[in-house]
């Protein structure tokens, strides 16, 4: 409710967006952020604001994403007004690229299946000659692709900076360098408590766990099941180049500063976020296959970002039944869904709106194995 | 571009000279030195313009660490002039802003 | 391809390590980023003219002995090679620098042990105007002299402190050029504070005398020296035009076309940091150092560090460290006769060679104002043009370490990969937060250690797969 004090654990794209949404809805906000070398999955976000290809077997997610993308320009404008930071949102449409006819056919099938679920996502299957109209530097190995007019990109780091900036301007209490180890609920005071390892604690009326990889453990404290596992994705960044790529593609995009971002692989390696040379070479090969002129661009940075993934890859947005007012939120699409998190999730966790109907599909207990009858 | 030579050669070099071109201007430079040295020895102080705000830059470290000495050499953009030796007929241009991948020959692919 | 020892860098540490590894019968290769061996201090040592040799002096000439021994050995030397990744178990990936075009593909070789001898680099000198054309490091001046035989032709000011600066002034005068001024940032109080280190330093009286001789010749030749300078500024519109500073209470301006800055060198820690190996903050040398054992070995790895990359020790001590690493490695691969005696000798030598270090570190300690710019508009990250004021703003926004400021402001994301801004950023954050540099930490460094062409990483033959 307005005036209530809400504590949000996790200052990444998710936590910061929700915190901002909460404070603009009239709540008092305390945001906890870890130390400088913490995992920080947000730093590994690729920066796509993307819908095509998503949501197979989960029409609620298609709808959720579609609405989120629609709300994005409003968020960009609002952040620009308040902080002066332009998060470089572009929504010109985006391309998925395929290297064989079979791949392209499989893609078309998938996109048809997704639309058959009821929520329509516009797309066009293109052959090579069509693609060249939009992506003239395309290499000979790319035989076709799919275009979706709703897709786009933004700068994830500028977005994070803008959100933190806006939070500061609006008077949020941001506590840096603190790792919340445990959360509890006090029945008598009806308040939530967040503890760090030293035993310091902070109180609040409401609690949101947006701690990414840390959520699995903390969620149990509020009786929510959130099986989140780290999935490492290698990303490459080149030196800054003069613009040549006007549309984001699923594996390669040109940032607003001019560097080319190339991604990403996907490995299950626990918490090892080191960079592997064979993965770098694989990504470099694919980038050069897609756009041969990148052969002469220099790789400046590569890193393995650990993404917090649920078993089915879809988010968890759940309020605790045992401890109403406590929420777990997790999503690896921190850019795509930023506006949705700010304008829809935030009012909900603030107690100002009813639980969106589709959130039934995003409960953490969908992963609980039911015993067979 | 400064025409006053800020650096000069200590000894008169009796060994080979090569011809290179900087922004169209012909320069005779001793063989065996780096492109950056050759330009500095000819009073050239504006190597590149920053892509962030266009400010003029010239070499700082001369050992490959600072990346200030970026030049376009024989059509290849954004190369470190301090790490490349002069060659006869070399065509050198300033690196203005970010590197342009599109300019490169397609036939090399 | 496999070797007993892969050595990265061909300065005194690299060459000495290679020579000894070869002597012990180990298959050895040197990978060098530069086109010729010698590292920075012995740059161009194999091709330097006799005229230049006279100017550069005996310390430089010593490099010829090393280069000679190396050439006579079985050590394989490969120049023009850019190492972009080193793993803890000795896999080294590199590309060949061909000046741009995607040439040969990236290669990997394995060393049973790797010696990282990448040395040091110029400490950044972030003051107003330091990015102007016409401003370079004093090390750059030395490189131009060694490699190309170039000396200044127009008014030049040498600024800062440290043995390299005075050596350069001395070498310039021998070559017939007198700098317009030497603006020294050493204060009387530094000499005073260094007195505590004097007794130990006097044990290395030869080094001490050498330094004195250098300094006195500068005065004898009549170079104008301003000591204890503060409030340094470099002014000019497109190029350097004037150096201004405060000296004995009044402001001075000197017209100049070239300024050579120096306040010591710092270890190049890119490779050691890239494998997440532990580093500690050295408060005496104000820089990060990798944590090693007495042989230079990095924990839980087959990697050694030798030379200035382990902590600034100078050329002679770097050589000894190279020999120590070689001895340690050789003894693990095959039993070395009189290992104990040899190691004792080398350790004693190293100890002697390091004796003068605390004195030099104290007397030439870089000043706070030239490491942590007070002016908000002073550029800290040259590549991305991020200022000191912006870093402080990010701290206000909640960034508590350099990786966060990097994410917020691109500081450290340029082509130099954070080499030139790393220490400055850590110290600015530490000062603003009122904590130690240790608590602030450093950039997370990862492969590629140097920018590498995508074409060199991709297997270009397989484009049609």
């Amino acid at each position: 409710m307005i005036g209530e004090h809400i504590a949000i654990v996790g200052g990444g794209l998710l936590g910061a967006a929700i915190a901002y949404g909460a404070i603009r809805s009239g709540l008092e906000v305390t945001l906890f952020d870890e130390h400088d070398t913490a995992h920080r999955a947000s730093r590994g976000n690729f920066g796509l604001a993307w819908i095509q290809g998503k949501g197979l077997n989960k029409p609620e997610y298609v709808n959720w994403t579609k609405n989120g993308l629609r709300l994005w320009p409003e968020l960009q404008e609002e952040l620009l007004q308040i902080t002066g930071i332009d998060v470089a949102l572009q929504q010109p449409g985006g391309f998925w690229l395929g290297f064989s006819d079979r791949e392209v056919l499989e893609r078309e099938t998938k996109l048809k299946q997704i639309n058959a679920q009821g929520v329509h996502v516009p797309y066009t299957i293109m052959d090579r000659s069509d693609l060249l109209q939009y992506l003239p530097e395309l290499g000979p190995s790319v035989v076709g692709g799919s275009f979706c007019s709703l897709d786009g990109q933004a700068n994830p780091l500028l977005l994070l900076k803008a959100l933190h900036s806006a939070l500061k301007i609006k008077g949020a209490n941001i506590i840096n360098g603190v790792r919340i180890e445990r959360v509890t609920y006090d029945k008598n005071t009806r308040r939530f408590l967040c503890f760090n390892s030293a035993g310091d604690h902070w109180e609040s009326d409401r609690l949101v766990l947006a701690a990414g990889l840390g959520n699995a453990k903390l969620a149990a404290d509020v009786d929510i099941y959130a099986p989140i596992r780290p999935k490492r994705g290698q990303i490459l960044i080149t030196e800054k180049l003069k613009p040549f790529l006007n549309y984001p593609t699923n594996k390669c995009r040109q940032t607003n500063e001019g560097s080319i971002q190339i991604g990403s692989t996907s490995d299950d390696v626990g918490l090892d976020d080191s960079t592997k040379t064979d993965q770098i070479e694989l990504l470099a090969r694919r980038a050069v296959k897609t756009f041969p002129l990148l052969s002469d661009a220099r790789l400046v940075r590569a890193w393995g970002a650990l993404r917090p993934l649920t078993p089915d890859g879809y988010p968890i947005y759940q309020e605790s039944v045992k401890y109403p007012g406590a929420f777990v939120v997790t999503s690896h699409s921190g850019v795509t869904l930023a506006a949705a998190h700010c304008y829809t999730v935030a009012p909900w966790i603030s107690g100002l709106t009813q639980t969106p109907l589709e959130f039934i599909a995003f409960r953490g207990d969908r992963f609980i194995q039911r015993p067979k009858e | 571009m400064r025409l006053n030579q800020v650096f000069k050669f200590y000894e008169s070099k009796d060994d080979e000279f090569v011809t290179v071109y900087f922004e169209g201007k012909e320069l005779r430079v001793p063989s065996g030195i780096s492109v950056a040295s050759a330009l500095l020895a000819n009073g050239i102080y504006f190597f590149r313009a920053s892509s962030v705000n266009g400010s003029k830059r010239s070499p700082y470290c001369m050992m490959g660490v600072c990346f200030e000495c970026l030049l376009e050499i024989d059509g290849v953009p954004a190369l470190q002039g301090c790490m490349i030796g002069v060659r006869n007929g070399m065509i050198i241009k300033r690196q203005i802003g970010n590197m342009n991948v599109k300019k490169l020959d397609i036939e090399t692919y | 391809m496999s070797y007993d020892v892969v050595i990265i860098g061909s300065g005194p540490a690299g060459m000495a390590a290679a020579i000894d590894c070869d002597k012990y019968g180990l298959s050895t290769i040197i990978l060098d980023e530069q086109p010729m061996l010698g590292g920075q201090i012995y740059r161009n040592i194999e091709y330097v003219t006799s005229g230049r040799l006279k100017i550069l002096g005996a310390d430089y000439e010593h490099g010829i002995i090393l280069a000679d021994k190396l050439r006579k050995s079985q050590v394989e030397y490969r120049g023009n090679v850019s190492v972009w990744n080193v793993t803890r178990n000795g896999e080294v990936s590199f590309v060949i620098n061909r000046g741009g075009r995607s040439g040969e593909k990236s290669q990997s070789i394995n060393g049973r042990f790797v010696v990282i001898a990448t040395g040091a680099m110029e400490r950044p000198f972030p003051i107003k105007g330091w990015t102007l054309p016409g401003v370079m490091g004093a090390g750059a001046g030395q490189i131009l002299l060694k490699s190309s035989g170039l000396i200044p032709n127009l008014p030049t000011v040498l600024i800062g402190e440290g043995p390299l600066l005075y050596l350069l002034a001395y070498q310039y005068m021998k070559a017939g050029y007198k700098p317009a001024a030497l603006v020294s940032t050493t204060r009387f109080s530094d000499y005073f504070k260094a007195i505590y280190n004097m007794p130990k330093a006097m044990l290395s009286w030869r080094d001490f005398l050498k330094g004195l001789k250098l300094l006195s010749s500068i005065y004898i030749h009549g170079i104008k020296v301003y000591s204890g300078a503060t409030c340094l500024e470099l002014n000019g519109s497109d190029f350097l035009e004037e150096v201004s500073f405060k000296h004995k209470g009044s402001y001075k301006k000197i017209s100049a076309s070239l300024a050579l800055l120096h306040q010591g060198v710092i270890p190049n820690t890119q490779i050691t940091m890239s494998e997440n190996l532990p580093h500690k903050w050295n408060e005496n040398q104000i820089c990060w150092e990798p944590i090693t054992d007495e042989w230079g070995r990095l924990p839980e790895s087959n990697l050694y560090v030798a030379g200035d990359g382990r902590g600034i020790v100078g050329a002679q001590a770097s050589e000894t460290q190279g020999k120590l690493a070689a001895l340690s490695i050789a003894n693990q691969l095959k039993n070395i006769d009189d290992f104990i005696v040899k190691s004792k000798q080398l350790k004693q030598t190293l100890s002697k060679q390091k004796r003068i270090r605390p004195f030099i570190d104290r007397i030439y300690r870089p000043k706070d104002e030239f490491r942590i710019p007070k002016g908000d508009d002073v550029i800290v990250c040259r590549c991305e043009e991020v200022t000191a004021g912006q870093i402080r703003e990010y701290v206000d926004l909640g960034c508590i370490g350099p990786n966060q400021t990097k994410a917020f402001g691109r500081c450290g994301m340029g082509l130099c990969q954070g080499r030139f801004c790393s220490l400055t950023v850590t110290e600015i954050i530490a000062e603003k937060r009122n904590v130690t540099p240790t608590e602030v930490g450093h950039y997370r460094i990862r492969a590629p250690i140097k920018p590498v062409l995508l074409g060199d990483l991709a297997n270009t033959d397989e484009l049609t797969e």
Side-chain angles (χ1 to χ4, degrees):
Chain A
M1 298 300 156
I2 291 181
E4 277 187 321
H5 180 198
I6 189 165
I8 298 171
V9 179
L13 284 172
L14 212 60
I18 290 173
Y20 176 65
I23 205 169
R24 77 191 275 289
S25 298
L27 272 76
E28 247 186 70
V29 170
T30 295
L31 181 66
F32 297 101
D33 207 13
E34 275 193 280
H35 49 280
D36 189 51
T37 47
H39 291 299
R40 300 191 173 273
S42 295
R43 285 201 210 136
N45 191 296
F46 198 65
L48 294 177
W50 206 256
I51 185 171
Q52 71 162 294
K54 289 187 181 178
L56 187 61
N57 301 322
K58 201 86 162 177
E60 299 90 340
Y61 192 64
V62 185
N63 198 38
W64 177 237
T65 304
K66 199 171 171 189
N67 287 333
L69 287 179
R70 214 171 18 88
L71 291 169
W72 234 117
E74 195 183 324
L75 180 63
Q76 179 194 29
E77 189 54 41
E78 189 173 325
L79 288 173
L80 180 61
Q81 289 304 324
I82 295 181
T83 67
I85 297 170
D86 181 354
V87 303
L89 171 74
Q90 293 167 357
Q91 294 180 297
F95 290 86
W96 170 94
L97 300 172
F99 296 92
S100 71
D101 291 326
R102 198 199 62 182
E103 248 193 306
V104 179
L105 202 58
E106 277 173 7
R107 179 72 176 178
E108 189 174 5
T109 310
K110 182 178 183 186
L111 296 180
K112 276 203 184 108
Q113 281 175 331
I114 289 174
N115 276 359
Q117 293 174 142
V119 183
H120 181 80
V121 177
Y123 70 87
T124 316
I125 298 292
M126 295 191 182
D127 65 17
R128 194 182 154 67
S129 54
D130 294 331
L131 288 175
L132 284 170
Q133 308 286 335
Y134 300 89
L135 306 167
E137 313 294 345
L138 212 56
S141 325
V142 180
V143 306
S146 60
F147 172 79
C148 172
S149 55
L150 301 179
D151 288 333
Q153 58 185 341
N155 187 321
L157 298 178
L158 282 179
L159 175 59
L160 194 60
K161 180 165 107 170
L163 288 170
H164 276 260
S165 215
L167 280 166
K168 182 161 183 252
I169 289 170
K170 295 242 183 233
N173 180 23
I174 303 179
I175 301 177
N176 289 292
V178 164
R179 188 186 158 86
I180 299 298
E181 300 279 349
R182 195 168 53 93
V183 299
T184 61
Y185 178 70
D186 187 328
K187 278 198 304 263
N188 301 320
T189 59
R190 303 208 6 223
R191 310 256 289 164
F192 291 96
L193 293 109
C194 295
F195 292 86
N196 66 0
S197 55
D200 306 314
H201 67 275
W202 293 263
E203 284 184 24
S204 60
D205 304 307
R206 295 179 159 265
L207 175 67
V208 177
L209 300 174
L213 294 168
N215 257 8
K217 185 177 165 299
L218 287 172
D221 287 354
V222 294
D223 198 45
I224 293 181
Y225 184 56
I228 298 164
R229 288 178 49 107
K231 200 115 179 156
R232 185 178 68 194
Q234 299 280 354
I235 300 185
L236 309 185
I237 298 230
T238 69
E239 60 189 311
K240 296 190 289 192
L241 308 174
K242 288 197 166 63
F244 77 90
L245 189 54
N246 297 319
Y247 298 87
T249 74
N250 60 314
K251 298 293 188 195
C252 179
R253 70 180 190 98
Q254 185 159 29
T255 69
N256 57 305
E257 289 110 9
S259 46
I260 302 294
Q261 198 161 357
I262 299 159
S264 60
T265 56
S266 189
D267 342 283
D268 255 309
V269 285
L271 291 174
D272 173 9
D273 67 346
S274 59
T275 324
K276 293 294 171 246
T277 52
D278 53 347
Q279 304 268 298
I280 293 181
E281 284 169 358
L282 190 138
L283 287 173
R285 242 193 319 276
R286 196 167 60 191
V288 168
K289 256 173 83 167
T290 315
F291 297 107
L293 48 58
L294 288 179
S295 198
D296 288 297
R298 275 172 298 205
L299 175 67
V300 175
R301 281 192 323 284
W303 74 99
L306 293 174
R307 290 186 299 246
L309 277 185
T310 59
D312 60 6
Y314 295 115
I316 295 177
Y317 304 124
Q318 183 171 357
E319 180 172 12
S320 173
V321 170
K322 197 164 174 198
Y323 307 105
F327 298 79
V328 165
V329 297
T330 188
S331 159
H332 68 282
S333 297
V335 169
T336 300
L337 298 173
H341 291 144
C342 178
Y343 296 132
T344 310
V345 173
W348 168 57
I349 53 102
S350 302
L352 299 167
T353 57
Q354 300 281 5
T355 309
L357 279 170
E358 61 215 313
F359 278 15
I360 290 184
F362 301 133
R363 293 176 64 83
D365 45 23
R366 70 185 187 268
F367 299 117
I368 295 175
Q369 309 277 13
R370 306 259 175 242
K372 290 213 176 2
E373 298 291 302
Chain B
M1 183 162 105
R2 293 268 291 281
L3 296 175
N4 296 329
Q5 255 176 270
V6 182
F7 280 102
K8 68 178 178 202
F9 288 102
Y10 156 68
E11 315 152 290
S12 61
K13 305 271 285 175
D14 294 323
D15 34 26
E16 289 178 36
F17 277 77
V18 294
T19 303
V20 302
Y21 300 88
F22 179 70
E23 297 284 333
K25 183 169 181 238
E26 187 178 305
L27 305 171
R28 270 178 52 79
V29 300
S31 67
I33 66 172
S34 65
V35 176
S37 307
L39 295 184
L40 289 173
N42 277 278
I44 290 156
Y45 257 78
F46 166 22
F47 278 48
R48 74 175 185 101
S50 159
S51 63
V52 180
N53 57 15
S55 59
K56 299 190 171 115
R57 296 294 184 87
S58 73
Y60 186 90
C61 77
M62 291 300 292
M63 58 182 270
V65 169
C66 73
F67 285 85
E68 295 280 13
C69 60
L70 298 177
L71 299 161
E72 185 190 294
I73 297 179
D74 285 339
V76 183
L79 295 175
Q80 290 170 287
C82 70
M83 301 289 281
I84 297 171
V86 291
R87 287 188 299 268
N88 202 32
M90 192 182 252
I91 297 176
I92 306 161
K93 294 199 182 136
R94 293 194 171 97
Q95 180 60 41
I96 304 295
N98 289 332
M99 145 171 163
N100 192 351
V101 265
K102 280 205 278 202
K103 252 177 78 175
L104 301 173
D105 303 340
I106 306 293
E107 61 194 56
T108 46
Y109 310 126
Chain C
M1 274 243 73
S2 228
Y3 295 82
D4 287 328
V5 191
V6 176
I7 297 174
I8 305 172
S10 72
M15 286 200 282
I19 291 165
D20 277 14
C21 282
D22 177 72
K23 216 173 61 188
Y24 295 128
L26 308 177
S27 61
T28 312
I29 183 172
I30 294 182
L31 299 178
D32 190 1
E33 187 181 40
Q34 302 292 333
M36 294 174 279
L37 55 77
Q40 298 312 321
I41 197 155
Y42 300 131
R43 236 186 202 250
N44 206 28
I45 194 70
E46 291 189 295
Y47 302 98
V48 69
T49 62
S50 54
R52 237 178 275 170
L53 207 51
K54 284 202 206 88
I55 294 171
L56 293 169
D59 282 347
Y60 174 77
E61 202 171 337
H62 171 74
I64 295 179
I65 300 173
L66 282 175
D68 241 13
K69 280 195 189 146
L70 191 64
R71 289 298 183 194
K72 294 196 169 90
S73 73
Q74 302 290 318
V75 176
E76 204 181 315
Y77 170 78
R78 299 196 59 182
N80 270 323
V81 154
S82 217
V83 169
W84 63 272
N85 191 47
V86 178
T87 67
R88 286 190 190 211
N89 51 21
E91 188 186 326
V92 180
S93 307
F94 61 92
V95 293
I96 302 188
N97 291 326
R98 285 204 192 287
R101 290 288 174 191
S102 306
E104 295 175 27
K105 291 172 277 299
S106 171
Q107 299 175 43
S108 263
I109 58 177
N110 284 297
R112 293 172 73 183
F113 292 93
V114 175
V115 179
I116 300 163
T118 47
M121 44 176 271
E122 194 87 64
R123 176 184 290 277
F125 209 126
I127 56 175
K128 177 160 182 291
W130 75 302
T131 56
L132 281 171
V135 179
M136 304 172 77
Q142 260 215 340
I143 287 171
L144 284 166
L145 177 56
K146 284 173 182 164
S147 296
S148 315
L150 285 168
I151 57 172
N153 184 45
L154 294 178
T156 300
V157 180
L158 270 51
I159 303 175
E161 54 188 321
L164 194 153
L165 194 68
Y166 311 130
L167 180 62
L168 185 64
Y170 180 74
Q171 289 167 335
Y172 275 165
M173 286 189 301
K174 281 194 89 169
Y177 173 76
K178 186 163 130 183
L182 197 153
V183 178
S184 162
T185 51
T186 309
R187 299 178 195 152
F188 180 71
S189 54
D190 293 310
Y191 294 109
F192 194 68
K193 282 177 193 156
I195 283 181
Y196 288 102
N197 301 112
M198 281 255 308
K200 199 170 173 203
M202 292 306 275
L203 289 172
S204 304
W205 56 271
R206 281 196 194 86
D207 288 335
F208 197 75
L209 277 181
K210 223 184 347 180
L212 273 183
K213 181 176 168 225
L214 206 66
L215 284 172
S216 55
S217 69
I218 288 172
Y219 283 94
I220 288 168
H221 280 85
I223 293 186
K224 185 82 184 90
V225 179
Y226 298 91
S227 291
T230 60
C231 305
L232 279 168
E233 274 186 21
L234 303 168
N235 296 309
S237 46
D238 282 336
F239 306 96
L240 175 71
E241 283 160 33
E242 182 188 82
V243 176
S244 74
F245 54 96
K246 204 166 167 191
H247 176 249
K248 293 203 198 329
S250 58
Y251 282 95
K252 300 254 183 302
K253 291 188 202 289
I254 303 178
S255 289
S257 304
L258 179 66
L260 298 174
L261 313 177
H262 184 72
Q263 47 178 359
V265 294
I266 52 176
N268 184 343
T269 50
Q270 295 294 102
I271 297 181
T272 49
M273 282 183 177
S274 74
E275 271 292 283
N276 235 357
L277 291 152
H279 287 69
K280 67 177 192 292
W281 179 259
N282 182 332
E283 188 50 38
N284 289 325
Q285 293 194 334
I286 325 179
C287 60
W288 298 102
E289 281 172 6
I291 295 176
T292 70
D293 68 11
E294 46 179 351
W295 303 98
R297 187 170 187 166
L298 297 156
E300 287 166 43
S301 73
N302 293 343
L303 311 177
Y304 283 74
V305 191
D308 277 351
R310 203 166 132 193
I312 304 303
V313 289
Q316 289 176 351
S318 294
E319 230 184 280
T320 310
Q321 284 182 345
K323 295 169 84 75
L324 273 166
L327 180 61
S328 168
I329 289 171
N331 198 44
Q332 292 174 65
L333 292 178
K334 38 164 81 170
N335 260 317
I336 301 295
D337 299 333
D338 51 288
F339 167 76
I340 310 267
V341 171
K342 282 195 171 78
S343 44
K344 194 162 170 214
Q345 274 174 349
L346 284 175
K347 285 181 186 169
Q348 274 175 354
T349 307
L350 182 63
S351 195
K352 278 198 205 127
Q353 289 166 332
K354 283 169 74 171
R355 260 188 318 221
I356 196 158
R357 211 62 233 177
F359 176 73
I360 295 181
D361 289 345
R362 191 61 210 75
I363 210 177
Y364 298 130
R365 186 182 170 83
K367 306 296 169 287
D368 285 0
E369 73 170 283
F370 305 127
R371 293 180 352 256
I372 309 169
K374 291 203 189 89
D376 279 343
D377 57 350
V378 176
I379 290 180
V380 169
C381 167
R382 295 176 64 114
C383 299
E384 296 289 324
E385 312 257 354
V386 182
T387 63
Q390 283 171 299
I391 304 287
R392 290 189 266 258
E393 256 174 52
Y394 301 143
V395 178
D396 281 334
L397 260 187
C399 295
I400 55 177
N403 294 291
Q404 288 172 287
T405 56
K406 188 197 248 187
F408 272 22
R410 291 194 60 84
C411 181
M413 284 190 179
L415 280 171
C416 94
Q417 299 174 310
R419 285 170 170 85
F420 256 71
C421 60
S422 175
L423 287 185
T424 315
V425 174
T426 289
E427 288 213 273
I428 288 177
I429 297 175
E431 188 196 53
K432 183 100 172 66
R433 287 183 54 205
N434 205 12
V435 297
T436 62
T438 304
E439 206 180 309
V440 168
H442 54 77
Y443 287 141
R444 177 85 194 272
I445 306 291
R446 296 170 159 96
I449 290 156
K450 271 282 167 101
V452 184
L453 289 169
L454 282 177
D456 284 350
L457 293 171
N459 203 329
T460 45
D461 289 345
E462 292 167 22
L463 254 185
T464 49
E465 87 189 18

